[in-house]
Amino acid sequence: MILGAAGILKGQPATTHWYKMGVLRIMGAKPRPDERVVRSGKVVTAAGVSAGIDLALWLAGEIAGRERAEAIQLVIEYDPHPPFDAGHISKASKEVQRLANKMMDDSMPGDQRRLVPKIAWNRFLDLVRTGQ
């Protein structure tokens, strides 16, 4: 959301947590809801906590090489085997999606909720000014 608010994602493919995927479009990004990690030039985005770990390991591999990244993965013992198959919006039942949305809504502070319309308005003005 920070990259989008800064205008860095404008016209670029990006991903984020499913709960905020619609906001990416408002910010001018091209949402990729089915991708965990999206690379576009110098910008890399991830879709949630475990995808953030995936991104961090990929970045470690880019910087220090695959062997070092694999050693880091072993050090943090990142070997996911989730007990349920509901880790993506496309896999979760409607009831689980409803409950997850409620949990997210209930946990978001009001000041953050109020930012979305402001960001949308600024994006609309930008779209009118630039045509993009």
Side-chain angles (χ1 to χ4, degrees):
M1 298 300 98
I2 293 169
L3 296 174
I8 294 170
L9 299 180
K10 191 171 167 183
Q12 299 298 311
T15 192
T16 191
H17 190 276
W18 60 266
Y19 185 73
K20 291 294 182 181
M21 194 62 66
V23 179
L24 280 181
R25 182 170 281 109
I26 292 169
M27 293 183 179
K30 297 176 182 174
R32 298 292 188 263
D34 293 328
E35 296 182 41
R36 289 176 57 79
V37 176
V38 174
R39 298 172 215 131
S40 180
K42 295 180 180 180
V43 177
V44 185
T45 55
V49 175
S50 62
I53 296 170
D54 295 351
L55 186 154
L57 289 169
W58 169 81
L59 185 59
E62 291 293 302
I63 293 169
R66 180 183 178 129
E67 189 172 86
R68 175 66 64 143
E70 288 181 0
I72 292 168
Q73 181 177 359
L74 179 57
V75 166
I76 66 172
E77 201 170 349
Y78 180 58
D79 188 24
H81 296 287
F84 309 105
D85 193 21
H88 187 273
I89 195 80
S90 66
K91 296 178 180 181
S93 69
K94 293 297 178 194
E95 181 58 26
V96 168
Q97 290 178 31
R98 186 199 63 71
L99 179 57
N101 269 300
K102 182 177 179 345
M103 291 167 64
M104 294 298 291
D105 288 344
D106 291 349
S107 70
M108 184 183 295
D111 59 337
Q112 285 184 17
R113 259 189 236 114
R114 288 187 292 275
L115 280 178
V116 173
K118 288 180 183 179
I119 292 168
W121 177 250
N122 288 336
R123 172 64 187 127
F124 174 74
L125 292 176
D126 185 46
L127 180 64
V128 169
R129 273 188 243 125
T130 66
Q132 297 180 358

